[in-house]
């Protein structure tokens, strides 16, 4: 879906007129009309305001141009699972289980792997298979790449 349709759908779902939306994000009604007609796209600061107002990620507002995955555990991210900063803005790098209220929840890769094994093991995937998969995946993610470079971290 395109940005113009997403904004229109979110505005209608919220029961807002173009004037009401414009007032909430500090633009003119004409600006909202141009977004919804596809003539322009909101700027970065306005996208942040729209994200907070509609409780969706900027990625969603832009039509989900990239598949987001948590850079700590590798889980695909959707608006309902994306973490938020203390100020309420989405942090599109992490899920809400790995990063909450400005804090990282995992500092030990083995601890995270055991949590994932407990949540992911089933009839199709044994704990050993999940453990091997996670041990291969996690070092490739940004969080663990950064953490690996911290003093005292063992990989």
């Amino acid at each position: 879906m395109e940005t113009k349709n997403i904004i229109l759908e979110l505005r209608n779902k919220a029961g807002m007129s173009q004037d009401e939306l414009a007032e909430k994000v500090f633009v003119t009604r004409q600006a909202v009309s141009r977004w919804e007609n596809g003539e322009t796209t909101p700027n970065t600061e306005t996208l942040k305001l729209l994200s907070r107002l509609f409780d969706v990620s900027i990625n969603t507002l832009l039509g989900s141009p990239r598949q987001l995955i948590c850079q700590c555990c590798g889980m695909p991210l959707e608006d309902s699972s994306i973490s938020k900063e203390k100020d309420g803005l989405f942090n599109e790098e992490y899920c809400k289980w790995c990063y909450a209220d400005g804090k990282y929840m995992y500092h030990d890769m083995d601890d995270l792997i055991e949590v994932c094994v407990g949540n992911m093991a089933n009839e199709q995937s044994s704990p050993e298979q999940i453990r091997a998969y996670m041990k291969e995946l996690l070092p490739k993610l940004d969080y663990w790449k950064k953490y690996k470079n911290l003093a005292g971290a063992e990989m």
Side-chain angles (χ1 to χ4, degrees):
M1 191 181 295
E2 293 181 57
T3 300
K4 66 181 186 174
N5 298 326
I6 294 165
I7 293 173
L8 175 63
E9 183 178 304
L10 290 169
R11 180 178 62 76
N12 286 334
K13 195 180 207 181
M16 280 189 255
S17 68
Q18 286 184 341
D19 283 319
E20 291 169 321
L21 176 56
E23 185 177 314
K24 290 185 184 291
V25 295
F26 312 105
V27 298
T28 64
R29 185 207 54 79
Q30 290 82 0
V32 173
S33 177
R34 286 193 299 274
W35 302 336
E36 292 180 355
N37 288 324
E39 296 170 27
T40 62
T41 304
N43 66 33
T44 304
E45 290 307 311
T46 305
L47 284 169
K48 288 178 185 178
L49 292 171
L50 290 167
S51 171
R52 186 175 289 170
L53 176 67
F54 293 126
D55 199 31
V56 298
S57 68
I58 291 173
N59 193 57
T60 295
L61 288 169
L62 295 175
S64 300
R66 59 189 179 116
Q67 175 60 47
L68 301 175
I69 65 165
C70 177
Q71 291 301 307
C72 182
C73 71
M75 180 177 86
L77 295 175
E78 298 176 5
D79 286 343
S80 62
S81 62
I82 294 175
S83 67
K84 291 187 178 181
E85 297 290 350
K86 286 182 180 180
D87 63 4
L89 288 177
F90 281 94
N91 179 327
E92 297 182 2
E93 298 296 314
Y94 301 101
C95 72
K96 64 185 178 182
W97 297 283
C98 290
Y99 183 82
D101 294 323
K103 291 184 179 179
Y104 294 102
M105 306 312 291
Y106 296 98
H107 302 289
D108 183 288
M109 190 182 293
D110 290 330
D111 289 346
L112 175 58
I113 289 172
E114 290 311 310
V115 169
C116 292
V117 167
N119 287 308
M120 295 170 66
N122 57 36
E123 288 126 21
Q124 291 82 27
S125 302
S126 71
E128 293 77 24
Q129 289 171 316
I130 300 296
R131 200 170 281 109
Y133 170 75
M134 297 304 289
K135 283 186 182 222
E136 183 179 328
L137 171 68
L138 295 182
K140 298 175 185 173
L141 299 174
D142 290 347
Y143 175 74
W144 297 106
K145 286 179 187 176
K146 291 177 195 172
Y147 198 176
K148 183 177 179 179
N149 296 325
L150 295 177
E154 293 182 25
M155 295 302 278

